[in-house]
Amino acid sequence: MRSRRLISLFSRLGVLGTPESAAQPPLMAATTPGDQGGRFYGPSGFRGLSGAPAEQPLYSRLRSPEEASRIWTVSQEMTGVTLPAA
């Protein structure tokens, strides 16, 4: 409960994003005309915790095809959703 209040406080202060702002990067990725796959969008503010959506560099582990494949597989296992690989 205490951590939830702290997160709410940081969201109100603009230090962290909100549930509404968290939806903006995937929406931008899905609707940007002419965009290509393999790009990552996230908040553009301090340490990617808040701010307007923008293209971000891939996390270091996702730059390796082997690691990206492993993360894809684990994500499918954790969610129970299977999607075709690009």
Side-chain angles (χ1 to χ4, degrees):
M1 189 72 156
R2 194 171 111 198
S3 60
R4 180 174 273 189
R5 286 193 304 260
L6 188 60
I7 290 170
S8 294
L9 172 65
F10 285 156
S11 291
R12 284 193 307 275
L13 295 173
V15 176
L16 294 175
T18 63
E20 292 79 16
S21 68
Q24 292 176 351
L27 183 60
M28 182 179 185
T31 61
T32 299
D35 201 8
Q36 302 168 359
R39 294 186 178 180
F40 176 70
Y41 293 91
S44 59
F46 177 71
R47 301 191 62 90
L49 297 174
S50 65
E55 186 175 347
Q56 303 294 325
L58 286 174
Y59 298 128
S60 61
R61 290 203 168 176
L62 293 177
R63 292 184 202 137
S64 157
E66 295 81 20
E67 278 295 298
S69 178
R70 184 185 70 76
I71 290 169
W72 182 265
T73 300
V74 169
S75 298
Q76 290 184 112
E77 290 169 359
M78 290 178 73
T79 63
V81 176
T82 302
L83 299 170

